[in-house]
Amino acid sequence: MKHTYHPLLPDVTRILARQPAPNFADGLTTATHLGKPDYDLALQQYNTYIEKLRGLNLEVTVLDADADFPDGHFVEDPVIVYGDMAFLCRSGANARRKEPQSLVSHLHGLRVIPLQDETAFIDGGDVLFCADRVLVGISERSNLAGATALHRALQTVKADIRLDCVSFSGVLHLKSGLTEIAPSVMLHDPALKTDYALDWAEVIELPSAEGYGADVMPVNDTIFISTGFPTVRQVAEKYYQNIIELNMSEFQKMDGALTCLSLRY
Ligand code: CIR
């Protein structure tokens, strides 16, 4: 059966993204074993990503690179958009705390809710909208206070929205190691360790060597997957007619993946 994503989210009509800056290799990363990323190759990969999104007839806005933010192209982390609401995050990483404000003037037509609690922090990479609930990863980047503030903001759009907290370790963001490829069908990188019970979903355990492939990006009836992950490809083929496969090697070197590079709403 083929699905159109996404039950809890409205159809995607707009994309907001930001070009990687020439100093993007100065961003945060734990993946130093993969070597230093190449800027020209990263731009090539980035441009293909944007081109493929444009091909879906979405309104795509790409902001100029900003060297003040070497991680600034990972726009998924500083802002979470749900319906007409844009929640401004506060990252657990100090170096990324000024990114939300730099995006505010580009959130046209959205009701902006800033996270005000100074003890709270959260990154959009830890927030996974599933078919019937939102999962928030509790990690080095996101804490319970951040999840609570987000929940309150989401409730201004959908009063009964369910939010589950998922404490985990082993990968940077929740979505680095867990995404929902079709309603209640999860892809799991075994490197992500959690006690959270995913008993409401069908969980597809990826081979360790395919862990990075767990971050897939559904956009309406299309699925974006990374190149080189045959198990992911096989699952994608079960649910989607439109599969876009992209090489993300240079972003992987900076702990980034498909979902990180855009805000989709
Ligand atoms: C960081 O450490 O914040 C960036 N180098 C990578 C962010 C990736 N974003 C994501 O998974 N949503």
Side-chain angles (χ1 to χ4, degrees), residues 28 71 74 76-77 96 125 141 172-173 176 254-256 260:
L28 303 170
D71 275 320
F74 294 124
E76 173 180 71
D77 295 319
R96 302 200 61 191
R141 297 293 179 88
L172 177 66
H173 285 123
S176 318
M254 299 307 296
D255 280 341
C260 322

Side-chain angles (χ1 to χ4, degrees), residues 16-21 23-24 27-28 46 63-78 95-96 99 102-103 260-262:
L16 182 62
R18 171 147 63 189
Q19 281 255 340
N23 62 344
F24 89 120
L28 303 170
Y46 185 79
L63 308 178
D64 288 342
D66 187 337
D68 285 348
F69 305 115
D71 275 320
H73 49 291
F74 294 124
V75 287
E76 173 180 71
D77 295 319
R96 302 200 61 191
E99 289 178 32
S102 75
L103 291 170
C260 322
L261 291 175
S262 57

Side-chain angles (χ1 to χ4, degrees), residues 1-36:
M1 194 174 66
K2 309 281 178 185
H3 286 282
T4 294
Y5 225 76
H6 186 293
L8 194 60
L9 294 172
D11 276 357
V12 174
T13 58
R14 286 196 272 178
I15 299 291
L16 182 62
R18 171 147 63 189
Q19 281 255 340
N23 62 344
F24 89 120
D26 296 338
L28 303 170
T29 189
T30 59
T32 46
H33 60 285
L34 297 176
K36 211 174 145 76

